[in-house]
Amino acid sequence: MKPRILVVEDEPSILDNILYSLETEGFEPRGCATGGEARAALAGNGFALVVLDIGLPDGTGFELCKEIRRQSNVPVIFLTARGAEVDRIVGLEIGGDDYMVKPFSPRELCARVKAVLRRFQVGASAPPGADGWEAGPFRVDEDRAQIHFGGQRLALSGTEFRLLRALCQKPGRVYSRASLMEIAWDDPGAALERTVDAHIKSLRAKLKEARPDLDPIETHRGFGYSLREDG
């Protein structure tokens, strides 16, 4: 079965090129020109990844990504004409898995899509029926690529899942940014150290939102120490 990719892009020529390239590479792409169309498409689920333009006629890709993250951990690759580092950081902080600046090569985008899907599938790979495992207030469900904190499921991107799982696996270990980049990215050399900071900041915010009454540092000091050191 071909992986289904949702492409949200309001420039017809760019959208057509992306759809053609993805189809040529063996994907089943579907195009949308607005956030409203994308919401309707996502309601049916079934997408393996979302390619999301930041500048949309009826809102921003950032806002749409926030909505997606409240209900799904489907990987998201942002597209934008803005290449400033702050824009990349914002996109990653709200749950994006990768970021491409226009103009870009459709071939490179397809390569990024494949890389993100590989990382996501590795994070989700486990024997069918695996029950998962626990670390302090965290429960890691490998089979579904989900993590619960204090009984609350966290809406994580694929990268956030891999980072948080690594911190849960070895409580007490202090990771360097380079180590975390090796864990979460296929091409660590292409990532910025501040990218790691952005994801850790996002994880902290999601933990606080899920259980404001539960402090991960107090309930599982080894985990909290690692998270704090890399923030």
Side-chain angles (χ1 to χ4, degrees), residues 21-231:
S21 298
L22 288 172
E23 189 171 8
T24 300
E25 292 294 326
F27 296 103
E28 183 182 330
R30 174 175 174 178
C32 295
T34 67
E37 291 178 22
R39 290 181 183 90
L42 287 165
N45 297 316
F47 290 102
L49 183 143
V50 178
V51 177
L52 178 57
D53 187 23
I54 289 178
L56 297 172
D58 58 346
T60 71
F62 289 151
E63 291 302 320
L64 181 55
C65 183
K66 290 178 182 178
E67 293 180 31
I68 293 172
R69 281 290 164 263
R70 283 195 282 268
Q71 39 192 315
S72 171
N73 65 345
V74 63
V76 174
I77 297 178
F78 280 115
L79 303 179
T80 182
R82 301 179 295 183
E85 183 181 7
V86 64
D87 292 321
R88 297 199 298 273
I89 296 301
V90 168
L92 295 170
E93 283 184 348
I94 64 175
D97 293 273
D98 206 344
Y99 200 104
M100 293 199 68
V101 178
K102 301 175 183 178
F104 56 83
S105 161
R107 179 177 295 182
E108 181 184 357
L109 175 60
C110 288
R112 296 282 188 98
V113 167
K114 292 177 181 178
V116 170
L117 287 176
R118 276 198 305 272
R119 296 198 305 264
F120 189 78
Q121 288 161 1
V122 167
S125 62
D131 292 329
W133 47 276
E134 295 184 358
F138 299 92
R139 179 167 183 80
V140 181
D141 186 338
E142 300 275 3
D143 201 29
R144 297 177 178 82
Q146 294 178 355
I147 298 179
H148 289 72
F149 174 55
Q152 298 294 317
R153 185 177 73 84
L154 301 171
L156 304 175
S157 69
T159 301
E160 289 170 345
F161 170 79
R162 289 184 296 276
L163 288 173
L164 185 50
R165 180 182 60 174
L167 294 174
C168 290
Q169 281 176 328
K170 296 184 178 181
R173 174 175 175 177
V174 179
Y175 287 89
S176 67
R177 290 178 177 83
S179 296
L180 292 176
M181 288 163 69
E182 290 288 342
I183 290 169
W185 282 269
D186 278 345
D187 183 8
L192 301 171
E193 285 196 352
R194 285 195 61 191
T195 298
V196 177
D197 295 345
H199 283 294
I200 294 298
K201 180 179 179 182
S202 175
L203 283 173
R204 283 199 185 108
K206 289 181 179 182
L207 293 174
K208 184 175 182 180
E209 181 180 1
R211 286 295 301 271
D213 60 316
L214 191 59
D215 184 348
I217 295 176
E218 293 301 321
T219 57
H220 196 42
R221 287 185 179 276
F223 166 81
Y225 181 69
S226 298
L227 185 63
R228 186 185 307 174
E229 287 297 305
D230 278 277

